Amino acid sequence: MDNRSEVREFLMSRRARVEPEMVGLPRMGGRRVPGLRRSEAATLAGVSVEYYSRLERGAIAGASTAVLDALARALLMDDAEREHLHRLARQAGDGAPRRRGRPLDRWRPSPSIQWVLDSMASAVAMIGNGRTDLLAWNALGGALMDEMIANAGSRPPNFARYLFLDPGSQTFYPAWEKAAAVNVAMLRTEAGRDPHASALQDLVGELSTRSETFRRLWGQHDVWQHESGTKRYRHHAVGDMELHFDGLDLVGQPGAQMTVLTAVPGSRDADTLRLLGSWASTRDVAVPQR
């Protein structure tokens, strides 16, 4: 993925969503396109229009931390977007991709990590990578994602392929549009971390070819950090539930993240999660390859 193009599209997309009123500017004259004018963005960031225009054309190498932070403030970026901007600037300056350890398509959990997963009897626990491959899980994780795992074939189960290529995902995720947008934003964030990763490029190319919705969302250049929040599911065996998730980075395992999903104690969702565990105990739930 070309760095200058990524920078250009990212900055243009962030500027287009900020209207003058959102940053205390008057709306002067007719506007052919949404968002701030370059001159307005430059003024808010405290740089010249010429310099801002160079940055938006992708010439971001050498931009200082102060300038990048000023751009982020001017364009109302959140923490994930600010980090993405800094990452793009570092890559432009390095001129080479940053590698982050062994390829995660060959990653397998150590016995002790799998023991940790298996010890979580009342929570869903799964380990994935930035490409949204599902690499390891516990019994409840296998039960929750049983259809995605079963349909993955010889490849690692992948949330992006499931969302955009499996019609069943639109039933499994009651808020499918939100889940799809978040998934693409996670892939875009991963592309910023390792833009030359061939497996990620192959996945993006495959989904862009096969899904118009993916192409549209990919073109929005949104980014997102998988930290915490809630997710809604409609499981074919136990029905609807809303679970709280937390993303936990694994020290010494670059690029791998454990996601733990739990329910509010005493809630209907907690009862449904226990029911899922009971259902899983009566079936041969898939386990990751060791």
Side-chain angles (χ1 to χ4, degrees):
M1 297 181 187
D2 177 64
N3 179 267
R4 291 179 71 96
S5 175
E6 287 293 305
V7 172
R8 180 176 66 253
E9 297 297 330
F10 180 64
L11 287 178
M12 289 178 64
S13 66
R14 299 312 90 178
R15 178 167 61 85
R17 63 175 192 177
V18 180
E19 297 297 337
E21 297 85 355
M22 297 168 62
V23 289
L25 294 177
R27 180 174 290 273
M28 304 291 291
R31 293 173 184 261
R32 293 175 296 176
V33 295
L36 298 174
R37 295 177 173 133
R38 287 190 181 89
S39 59
E40 292 169 333
T43 298
L44 290 168
V47 298
S48 69
V49 178
E50 292 77 12
Y51 184 51
Y52 178 85
S53 297
R54 288 205 305 274
L55 293 175
E56 197 173 274
R57 287 196 296 270
I60 202 171
S64 68
T65 298
V67 166
L68 296 175
D69 285 342
L71 278 178
R73 287 192 299 270
L75 300 181
L76 304 183
M77 294 185 190
D78 60 22
D79 290 344
E81 293 166 334
R82 183 189 304 267
E83 182 178 343
H84 186 66
L85 178 65
H86 280 270
R87 192 178 294 120
L88 290 174
R90 288 196 299 270
Q91 290 166 356
D94 290 348
R98 289 173 174 254
R99 306 307 301 179
R100 297 185 300 134
R102 55 180 171 162
L104 283 181
D105 55 346
R106 297 195 295 272
W107 187 91
R108 295 290 182 269
S110 67
S112 61
I113 289 178
Q114 189 64 52
W115 297 338
V116 170
L117 293 174
D118 293 339
S119 71
M120 299 183 188
S122 61
V124 171
M126 302 180 286
I127 294 177
N129 58 20
R131 200 171 60 243
T132 74
D133 291 328
L134 178 58
L135 303 172
W137 54 88
N138 67 352
L140 272 175
L144 180 66
M145 305 308 306
D146 68 322
E147 291 187 330
M148 183 184 85
I149 294 169
N151 294 337
S154 61
R155 295 187 292 194
N158 180 273
F159 284 94
R161 286 195 183 95
Y162 177 60
L163 275 158
F164 292 99
L165 303 182
D166 189 331
S169 69
Q170 299 195 29
T171 300
F172 181 69
Y173 291 102
W176 185 87
E177 293 82 1
K178 178 181 178 181
V182 165
N183 181 275
V184 175
M186 290 174 63
L187 292 177
R188 177 65 76 177
T189 302
E190 181 66 9
R193 293 192 185 102
D194 195 358
H196 299 280
S198 59
L200 177 60
Q201 290 183 357
D202 291 345
L203 176 63
V204 170
E206 175 189 357
L207 297 177
S208 296
T209 300
R210 301 178 64 183
S211 171
E212 181 180 350
T213 302
F214 179 86
R215 289 197 302 274
R216 174 177 58 80
L217 291 172
W218 184 253
Q220 293 178 1
H221 286 262
D222 291 334
V223 294
W224 192 75
Q225 296 283 13
H226 192 257
E227 296 175 352
S228 63
T230 60
K231 295 185 179 184
R232 294 169 54 206
Y233 303 99
R234 179 171 295 135
H235 192 272
H236 62 90
V238 299
D240 289 358
M241 66 185 119
E242 182 175 76
L243 302 179
H244 292 253
F245 75 88
D246 289 278
L248 311 172
D249 291 335
L250 300 177
V251 177
Q253 305 291 329
Q257 186 182 68
M258 180 186 298
T259 299
V260 179
L261 297 114
T262 54
V264 175
S267 67
R268 178 189 175 281
D269 296 315
D271 293 339
T272 306
L273 193 57
R274 281 193 293 272
L275 182 61
L276 179 66
S278 298
W279 176 81
S281 69
T282 66
R283 301 173 61 86
D284 294 327
V285 174
V287 296
Q289 297 177 351
R290 307 294 176 84

